[in-house]
Amino acid sequence: MPKNSKVVKRELDDEVIESVKDLLSNEDSSDDPFKKSELMVDDQEEKDVDVEEGSDVEDERPAWNSKLQYILAQVGFSVGLGNVWRFPYLCQKNGGVNCNLQSSREKQVIIRAKAFLVFKLTIMQDGAYLVPYLILLLIIGIPLFFLELSVGQRIRRGSIGVWNYISPKLGGIGFASCVVCFFVALYYNVIIGWSLFYFSQSFQHPLPWDQCPLVKNTSHTFVEPECEKSSATTYYWYREALNISSSLSESGGLNWKMTICLLAAWVMVCLAMIKGIQSSGKIMYFSSLFPYVVLLCFLIRGLLLNGSVDGIRHMFTPKLEIMLEPKVWREAATQVFFALGLGFGGVIAFSSYNKRDNNCHFDAVLVSFINFFTSVLATLVVFAVLGFKANIINEKCVIQNSDKILKLLKMGNLSQDMIPHHINFSSITAEDYNLVYDIIQKVKEEEFDSLGLKSCQIEDELNKAVQGTGLAFIAFTEAMTHFPASPFWSVMFFLMLVNLGLGSMFGTIEGIITPIVDTFKVRKEILTVICCLVAFLIGLIFVQRSGNYFVTMFDDYSATLPLLIVVILENIAVTRIYGINKFMEDLKDMLGFSPSQYYYYMWKYVSPLVLLCLLVASVVQMGLSPPGYNAWIEDTATEEFHSYPTWGMIVCISLMVLAILPVPIVYMVRRCNLIDDSSGSLASVSYKRGRIIKEPVNLEGDNTSLIHGKSPSEVPSPNFGKTIYRKQTGSPTLDTAPNGRYGIGYLMADMPDMPESDL
């Protein structure tokens, strides 16, 4: 016969009191704050409420509806705009090399028939950039991504709560992550606004950036001079979309079109994040998967275009000697670092909604390689399209310069004897033109420059490395104007950019909202609205006519160095302060198996060293590169480098200082005990109420004790509320972390949902 519930609870309370005594007697003598504290046992009057056997206790923390939803959220956060316009640029810059490409239509047909073979060979050949990238992905990418996933899942709090728990003196790491996330969100959503503008303008035929506009005056009509000097897509970007000013100091007022688009972007983010993962998680099914549909469609379409394989071959042609240059490794490490979203807090926030026994090691490896293969896929798409564009430009170049040669022949500047008999200028091919060009260059060596002829090589166009907005809104946009049904492809492309941006924005905003909600217990809906509203108002500086220059400033200075410092401190906090051995034991307890010793050595030795080298290299690079921006000059229709004014340099330095300032502030506050944790201050973190765990065996025969207590106010660590700790009978001492705190493995309040004891 089972005992009466009240009798069992009284016996359990007796065991609780006895276990408190055991806990105090086994505590490390060096932990003075813990000794001074008093551990209070909850003596609330028992309620005569019988809990049905097998009923689940309602978990106060939200959880993902499914594992797929969580994976899509992490993929959506890590796979962003950088995969489309940064990774291809680095591959082209560090792997591409001039080569003799053939562009005849016959050979294009043969090569397109071997598209899959080309794809396979490109992966094998691109050793100049992909090899360093893969090595650094294994050294710093996956290990640090796994570290952030595991601490978030184990402690089940945002970045502030996680680092406050692991090391209160380093609690500023979480606040620094929030500041960096806010800075990045300010300008990242502006890019989404730009994509929304182009998306809205794509429902036209022909596309508005297809041709240069005409200007009419009283006498005649002529092409807009600024557009004629540059190109139709370049003119549309700088003049119609941005209406850009000529310098950072010339604000020029708000661009109302971009202001509306920025407002729409923030409304979308706010509505998606208003309910946290309950609302954003459902949107992930579309925002994370749709870009892959578009990329595959573009890849198939691109491989069917003339010149597409020229672009792919150019991009993946190996230049292995460049691997010896430190610059390649620095750029590859930076790309790995930012591609996975390390240090932002979004990874920790998303993983904190997982169940405690989720296999986060599998998640880390899966998401990392999905990110890598997405970058390769996007690179293939980009350079297939750019190869098509280069082919078209090369054909125009051949026609224009062939006409020049005919005029020179008629004027007598060139002799007809120089031209081979089989050359027909009415239907000349690129190979025939290059043959004539080489002959004229050799014969007219001294006078050649005055003839004004161009070489018309596809490589010359492909060597024009573009990245960022220049790739998405100028180069790629120009290529799409030559597509059949160009409005459809334009709509698909910019809708893909919007979804890629939103997926990253969800993780960035979650890196702000989750830690603050966990720490200060504010309503998520109110905080989300306030955060988005404040960000929109501050973001108005990016939709001025000079706004593009501020985007460049924030992109260069608000995140790079602060995030490197944050991740280095994260690594130190886990491996040195908390203890790598204790952390490995916690992972074994959480995962059910011991992680590979590979991670032990990576976390303890290799990753910190690589991160420090990357930090030093970034500081040196920043010191050697003159601080400035490329301004668009209307008169010449070209970009011109401008140095930042004095106030601009102050803003750049302030961005870096403000981002990392919480770390020393919180350290000094904790070090000097300036704030009492019991006061509910900024430095304190409240954890949810612990539960009595149902024991599957007879209580009288169980060799464990349950402690239901409250954390003392004197302890300068996060306030754990009413938590439950489990102590094994016969253990001489409690298993504590090097900082004197309990290991993550003993924080039983955050166990997966379990039914109440049947008392």
Side-chain angles (χ1 to χ4, degrees), residues 396-414 419 425 428 433 436-437 440 448-456:
K396 292 181 179 179
C397 178
V398 169
I399 294 174
Q400 292 173 356
N401 284 270
S402 296
D403 292 340
K404 287 184 180 180
I405 293 176
L406 287 175
K407 291 180 180 179
L408 292 173
L409 289 172
K410 292 179 180 179
M411 295 171 59
N413 293 337
L414 294 177
I419 309 300
F425 283 102
I428 189 172
Y433 171 78
V436 174
Y437 179 87
I440 296 175
F448 182 78
D449 292 338
S450 61
L451 299 178
L453 298 177
K454 296 182 180 179
S455 61
C456 296

Side-chain angles (χ1 to χ4, degrees), residues 9 20 33 47 73 144 161 170 178 194 233 279 318 348 424 450 488 515 630 647 716 735 752:
K9 290 203 93 176
V20 171
K47 297 180 181 180
L144 294 177
L170 292 179
C178 291
W194 294 342
T233 51
S279 54
I348 295 177
N424 183 5
S450 61
F488 168 78
N630 290 321
W647 65 267
D735 200 1

Side-chain angles (χ1 to χ4, degrees), residues 21-63:
K21 296 177 182 179
D22 294 340
L23 176 62
L24 292 176
S25 64
N26 287 322
E27 177 58 25
D28 191 350
S29 59
S30 63
D31 198 350
D32 294 334
F34 187 89
K35 280 185 169 183
K36 295 178 183 178
S37 65
E38 58 183 19
L39 189 60
M40 301 179 63
V41 180
D42 193 4
D43 286 328
Q44 290 183 351
E45 185 176 351
E46 306 295 335
K47 297 180 181 180
D48 294 327
V49 179
D50 292 333
V51 181
E52 295 182 6
E53 184 174 354
S55 64
D56 293 332
V57 179
E58 182 182 359
D59 194 349
E60 297 175 5
R61 191 168 189 79

Side-chain angles (χ1 to χ4, degrees), residues 94 127-129 132 319-329:
N94 297 319
Y129 182 73
K319 191 177 182 181
L320 299 181
E321 63 274 12
I322 205 172
M323 288 178 60
L324 301 177
E325 298 181 12
K327 176 188 65 173
V328 177
W329 291 86

Side-chain angles (χ1 to χ4, degrees), residues 148 151 157-182 343-346 348-349 508-520 562-563 565-567 569-571 573 658-667 670 682-683 685:
E148 290 199 357
V151 296
R157 288 294 174 269
S159 56
I160 296 177
V162 163
W163 303 115
N164 261 326
Y165 171 70
I166 290 181
S167 176
K169 291 179 182 178
L170 292 179
I173 296 175
F175 290 99
S177 294
C178 291
V179 174
V180 173
C181 280
F182 186 73
F344 281 93
I348 295 177
T508 303
I509 298 298
E510 199 69 54
I512 303 171
I513 301 297
T514 297
I516 296 178
V517 169
D518 289 342
T519 305
F520 307 119
L563 279 180
I565 296 174
V566 164
V567 175
L569 292 176
E570 287 180 355
N571 199 314
L658 288 174
I660 206 64
L661 193 60
V663 175
I665 289 179
V666 173
Y667 179 83
R670 294 285 191 177
L682 294 178
V685 179

